Amino acid sequence: MTDLDASGAATGTGHRSRPRAALPALCATQITSWGVVYYAFPVLNPAITADTGWSTGATTAAFSAGLLVSALAGIRVGRIIDHRGPRTVMTAGSVLGAASLLIIAAAPGLPVFFAGWALAGLAMAATFYQPAFAALTRWWAPDHVRALTVVTLAGGLASTVFAPLTALLADHLTWRATYALLALVLAAVTVPAHALALKAPWPKAPPAPAHAGDSATAVARSRPFWMLATALALSAFTLYAVVVALVPLLLARGYSTNQAAWALGPGGAGQTLGRTLYAALARRTGVIARTTTLIGLGGVTTAALAFTPGPYALLVALSVAAGMVRGNLTLLQATAIADRWGTTHYGRLSGLLAAPATTASALAPFAGAALAPPLGGYPLLFALLAALSALAALTALNTAVKPGDSSPTGM
């Protein structure tokens, strides 16, 4: 049973206070933040390039630069949340997100456009999954997997809600006016939600497990941590390259653009389905087996897409299966720190762990497009990506934490 403390927070295990409004608020803000800051861009980019004359490569580079800023800033954000809680940083991130979109909307040239996306990267670091995961892991532990699953299920709806909404707005407004309106939506939903729903007392960090020691720096320098970061970065690179390259792969095999788009779309439903299964998987598997199996399954689905020319229904099924793996991997990364080193330094360590994966996912679309021609086409690109996933799975075998593994490696 949960009780209510004087502040109106529902009190969970031990002395950990769980603000009642935090979980629904974070569900709403994840949908809105991802939908407006991330998913609106691919919908609006054709209009941006057509109106401004800027190349698609330049505008996409600005967007990717924002993702890289997010990866770097996330390390500092995680440390702040560990010590002070999520309310201030996530509220400030919401304000900054709205301001960055207004700058993007008003950009007279590429330098200001790039600057706007750099600010958007800071906002992403302060409002996307990583800070939400840090908040829920501290408030909800040891039942955090359930809370993380709920918020990622909600986040998975971001493209479903905001891609069509953005397209509808763009049919009636310029891309600049659309971004300005979306900035107002972002501010109206996320600023008050973060400011009001995340104000419960921030619990003290629990003691670190004996094998983890008391130092986040020691954990971050340990061999298991670096092996885990490498495995997740390789996996993120392959899976994001697959998402972007799936449509060109099907076009090269003679399918229409409409068929290719419909094959890609069910992958989002697969992500949602996969996330509903993660809690049961976590109860029935060990952390190393779970990590290795999920990363390996990413390679299996990628290899299947590489060597399966049809029929079309089978390709759609493979897209759904690949989406299920991606959905599980989101939660795998969210729980990787707590599963191995506890929640004492979760914010800082998860920021460090996410930085290489976020960087890899930002570079993957460009790298995939660049590699396909010299490799001889997209089927061979997918075969290479499957091999990288296999390497990632082998690397994940070396992420077991043993007594003394939090000692620095001398790197």
Side-chain angles (χ1 to χ4, degrees), residues 223-252:
R223 185 173 185 272
F225 186 90
W226 281 102
M227 290 294 100
L228 180 62
T230 300
L232 293 177
L234 286 172
S235 178
F237 179 88
T238 60
L239 292 178
Y240 277 88
V242 164
V243 169
V244 175
L246 182 59
V247 169
L249 173 73
L250 296 185
L251 293 176

Side-chain angles (χ1 to χ4, degrees), residues 11 25 34 48 119 194 307 343-344 365:
T11 311
W34 278 95
I48 295 172
L119 291 176
H194 288 148
F307 299 111
T343 61
T344 307

Side-chain angles (χ1 to χ4, degrees), residues 203-224:
K204 291 183 179 180
H211 67 265
D214 295 323
S215 170
T217 300
V219 172
R221 292 178 178 176
S222 67
R223 185 173 185 272

Side-chain angles (χ1 to χ4, degrees), residues 10 25-26 81 102-103 108 150 154 177 190 194 196 322 352 365 375 380 397 407:
L26 287 173
I81 290 177
L102 292 175
I103 292 171
V150 171
T190 65
H194 288 148
L196 299 176
L352 287 168
L375 287 173
L380 289 178
L397 290 172
S407 301

